[in-house]
Each structure stands twice: as C-alpha cells, then as structure tokens.
Amino acid sequence: MKFEEKHTGNGSLVAKSPLCTREQHQAKHKPAANGKAEGFVKQQVADGNGGVPRKSFNLYSWQEIQRHNQEADQWLVIDRKVYDVTGWADRHPGGRRVLNHYAGEDATDVFRAMHPELDIARLYLKPLLIGELAPEEPSHEKNKNSQLVEDFQELRRTLETMNMFNANLGFFFLHLIQILILEALAWLMLWYFGSGWPITICISFLLTISQAQSSFLQHDTGHLSIFKKSKWNHLMHRFVMCHLKGLSANWWNYRHFQHHVKPNIYPKDPDIDMGPLFLLGDLQPVKYGKKKIKYIDYEKQHLYFYMVGLPLLMPIYFNLQSMQVMYLRRYWEDIAWVSSFYIRYFITFGPFYGIFGTMLLIYLVKFLESPWIAYVTQMSHIPMKMSSEENRDWLSTQVLATCNVEQSFFNDWFTGHLNFQIEHHLFPTMPRHNYHKAAPLVRSLCAKHGLQYVNKPMLKAFGDIVRALKKSAALWVDAYYET
C-alpha cells in the first residue's frame, strides 16, 4: 500500500493513504503552467524487499516554496530538504522571528553558521520534514550565484579542517579573570581608601572597563563559541550577561540573532530600527520625509547623536528594553540571575554608598560604558549598505552590511575582536581569537567574486558613523521639503 507523508502543522508527520488525500493534495499543489507539478510525490522503494515502499516525500519547486513566507505559513530549505517550521517557530531557541526572516528561502548556510552542534539541531528538524527540492531545481534560489555559494561552503569546510572553530579555553579564562580582577580591585580600593570623590571616580572607570569587557565576553558565550557543548555556553552566558552585567540573556539572544541573520535589512534587523529618534540608511529617511514625519529635527541627528545616542544606549535603551522584555515574557530564570547582579552590588558597595548611592554608581558605570559599546557596535554597520529584503546569498548579505577595522593589539582588546566584524558575521560560532587567521581567506574569496572587503582605521570608522547619519539626514530634508 502506498503512503504519502502529510504534515499536520503541529510539527509531526502523519502517514495517510493516497485514497484519502489525493484530491486534497492536488488542490493544494496545482500543476504549473508548464505542465510540471509544483508538488508531487517521490516514492523511495526498499531495495529488493518485494517493492514495499519505505517512505515517500513531496518534491517542490522554488516557486512553490517561496509562497510559504508568512508568519502563519513558514517553509524553509536546508540541504535541499524542505521543512515546515510554522508550528515549531514559537519553541525555537533563537526566537520565532529568526525563522520567519528566512521563510520561503534557502537557509542552508545560516543554519550551519548559527548551530555549532548540527547533529542535535537536525534532530529537531526531523519531524518538520515535508519533502525536498525536485531534482531539476537548484539547491538555492535561482537569483543566487551558484559558484559563489559553493566557494563559500568550501571555505567553511577548509576552516573546519583547520580547526578554526575550536576555542582556546585559556584565552577566555584569562579574559574572565581580567573582568573579575578589575571588579575586585575597585572594591579593595574603596575598602582601603574610603568613598571620597577621587576614589569614586577611579573605581567608576575600573568598573566601566570591567563592564565593557563583560559585554564582549557575553557576546562570545551568546554565540556558543567557547565550549563544545551548548549547555555550558548558555550557563556561562547567563552568568556573564545576567549576573555580571544585569541584563537579560534571552532578550539579547532574540534581538541579536535577528541582526545576525539579516544584517541591515529593513525591517528584519532590529538594530537599524532606531526611529523615531534616528533615521538610518537611504530608505527610512526618504519614507519619513515623504510622509512629512518630523518627530525631531532629523537634520541635526548627526549632532544629537553625541548627546543622546552615545551616552544613553546602555543605561536607558538597552537596560529598559531588557527589563521590559524580561518581565513581560516572564523569563523567570533571567529575572533571578539579574536580581543577583543588583544583590551583589548592594552587598559590596552598599556599605560605602547606601542603596541610593549604589544605584547611582551602577548607572554612572553604564553611562560611561555606553559610548564605548555604541562606537564599537555601530561603526561596522551604520556606514554600510542598508536595504529591504533582496534575498542575497549568505556571503554577500554579510559582507555588504559589515566592515572591519584595522588589527592591532589595542584594537583587538578595545573592540573585543569585533574589529573583525566580517569574519564574525560569516562565522558567528568561531572563537574570536581565530578571526585574524580566517581573514585572509575571506578577503581572497571576496576579491574572486567582486565583493568589496572594507577594512579601515578605527578613528575613520568612528567618524563614518556621524557622516552616515548626516547623509541620511540630508535625504530626509530633501524628501520632507519636496513640493
């Protein structure tokens, strides 16, 4: 008896007789105009066992797959296999929006990029399988450069052979020790010298360095790039992000992973949605201008960036958003870990400053840390190409939206190796101490395919943020006052 695998929409596959499902199947997958069915059944017959079929799969064209790109109907392709992830999206550890951003597309390279433990990830995919690409269909959308895609996948295999995805635990241990020593030194100075203004200023700078370096370490653990087992990375991430920094790990994951899979893509990347305060890129300013939207005088946004964007990113925007998401979505584990951050500060600094003084110290440190993190995180993206969805290949998507900053010992330390933003975006789970080794190979691949590999001095990168804001402001002015 022949069977067809029918996806139930809740993450399971149910075998049904074609006598019951044939009409439903034909109604759902009508033949295309060229006479070829866009979805049809492929029978896999057992070898020599009386011709009894083991399994059957639907075969799909890209035209059919691309129709399933809505939040309530999400299909994606990984290694030529077609998955219906609609019912799984809300349980996806990286957040449902990440899946929705790739609905109707080939997700092979992003799947490999974001999941260090592929075998475990594939176990979750197994019940979501509904078919595969028809034999005559390419492995990715027809608008993508096949040779470029194959060359990038070969580069990844080369880097895996070179053990570029294996972390040096000693490197990250020393980084953690640096953070803890800075915090301990701040407390010892306070205990020995007292809480006068000179000491308070001094320990504020020590704690600022500790907090900024904690930001980079939580970034490493959040990307699962330290330990081989994801569970240890998740535990370390909560310790650093929640306990050492007082921010929600889940909030960061769901926000940051969206940025990684679709960087500088409207409206999928939350990091470029800064309206109504700032208008970025070429599209958003024109949109606001044509609609005569003027919440603020955007013509001056490159100036008030210094007064608002730099000092308030961490203490106001990130901190309040983290708390809001954490409580509204009831991330109880994160709430407990973040509470331990404040308890620790009240125990260590409360005897010297009291409760109110300790809160002021916490937010003074966040205020001082904010320009550091704002410059490092924005210098590689705001000046680069921003666009609506163009469904480019993984390499082009990342290289067009990111740039590097020249390497030096100070630049590596000051940016947490995010001066290698291109390599980080292409290989998010790669330990950061290996970025510089991968960079020449990435640069060579970009040159081969005519992609501009941008690498600039740090001060120029800082200045490019303001120049990009000024350019966007001019676009808004032209559209706003256009008659």
Side-chain angles (χ1 to χ4, degrees), residues 341-359:
F341 164 82
Y342 288 97
I343 291 170
R344 175 170 59 88
Y345 259 77
F346 289 138
I347 290 174
T348 53
F349 298 105
F352 303 98
Y353 295 110
I355 294 177
F356 182 72
T358 301
M359 287 299 295

Side-chain angles (χ1 to χ4, degrees), residues 176-212:
L176 176 61
I177 291 298
Q178 169 199 206
I179 293 166
L180 298 179
I181 286 176
L182 287 168
E183 291 215 0
L185 183 60
W187 182 84
L188 286 172
M189 288 182 65
L190 196 59
W191 173 76
Y192 188 79
F193 294 106
S195 56
W197 276 109
I199 297 301
T200 299
I201 293 171
C202 184
I203 70 165
S204 295
F205 280 104
L206 289 177
L207 292 173
T208 297
I209 297 171
S210 174
Q211 284 293 294

Side-chain angles (χ1 to χ4, degrees), residues 59-116:
L59 297 185
Y60 297 102
S61 70
W62 277 110
Q63 186 178 3
E64 167 67 14
I65 292 165
Q66 288 168 343
R67 292 195 189 111
H68 301 270
N69 63 351
Q70 306 300 316
E71 188 169 350
D73 183 17
Q74 304 178 42
W75 292 10
L76 50 79
V77 177
I78 298 173
D79 293 322
R80 296 190 61 85
K81 290 181 168 52
V82 183
Y83 299 92
D84 184 342
V85 298
T86 310
W88 163 248
D90 286 335
R91 292 175 285 157
H92 181 234
R96 60 181 174 83
R97 291 184 180 177
V98 171
L99 296 181
N100 184 238
H101 293 344
Y102 267 87
E105 300 180 21
D106 175 52
T108 301
D109 288 328
V110 65
F111 176 75
R112 291 174 180 167
M114 303 302 290
H115 299 92

Side-chain angles (χ1 to χ4, degrees), residues 314-453:
M314 292 297 292
I316 303 298
Y317 184 63
F318 278 179
N319 200 61
L320 292 182
Q321 191 180 71
S322 167
M323 288 186 177
Q324 179 189 31
V325 170
M326 189 167 53
Y327 283 98
L328 289 179
R329 297 186 183 178
R330 300 179 181 180
Y331 296 148
W332 301 118
E333 191 172 355
D334 278 10
I335 290 172
W337 276 99
V338 170
S339 298
S340 73
F341 164 82
Y342 288 97
I343 291 170
R344 175 170 59 88
Y345 259 77
F346 289 138
I347 290 174
T348 53
F349 298 105
F352 303 98
Y353 295 110
I355 294 177
F356 182 72
T358 301
M359 287 299 295
L360 286 179
L361 177 66
I362 290 172
Y363 281 90
L364 172 62
V365 170
K366 289 182 182 293
F367 178 83
L368 294 173
E369 177 198 9
S370 189
W372 186 341
I373 299 302
Y375 269 127
V376 169
T377 56
Q378 302 308 311
M379 67 182 181
S380 298
H381 293 297
I382 287 182
M384 303 303 290
K385 176 182 173 67
M386 296 183 186
S387 66
S388 54
E389 181 60 77
E390 296 177 342
N391 192 13
R392 295 178 178 270
D393 60 87
W394 180 251
L395 176 65
S396 301
T397 297
Q398 305 302 329
V399 172
L400 290 173
T402 56
C403 67
N404 282 7
V405 166
E406 292 175 351
Q407 183 188 20
S408 69
F409 178 81
F410 175 79
N411 286 0
D412 290 352
W413 174 83
F414 185 81
T415 65
H417 289 84
L418 292 179
N419 50 329
F420 290 97
Q421 194 74 240
I422 294 174
E423 287 69 31
H424 168 61
H425 264 257
L426 290 173
F427 312 106
T429 61
M430 178 182 287
R432 58 164 137 144
H433 52 71
N434 287 333
Y435 292 159
H436 73 282
K437 299 175 186 176
L441 299 177
V442 174
R443 186 193 292 266
S444 176
L445 182 59
C446 289
K448 177 180 177 181
H449 290 282
L451 291 171
Q452 187 178 12
Y453 183 99

Side-chain angles (χ1 to χ4, degrees), residues 229-241:
K229 293 292 184 182
S230 295
K231 65 178 181 180
W232 296 115
N233 285 300
H234 290 311
L235 179 61
M236 187 66 173
H237 189 215
R238 281 205 161 86
F239 172 74
V240 179
M241 186 61 159

Side-chain angles (χ1 to χ4, degrees), residues 264-278:
N264 284 14
I265 302 295
Y266 293 115
K268 297 181 177 181
D269 181 359
D271 284 4
I272 62 172
D273 183 15
M274 296 188 182
L277 196 56
F278 294 99

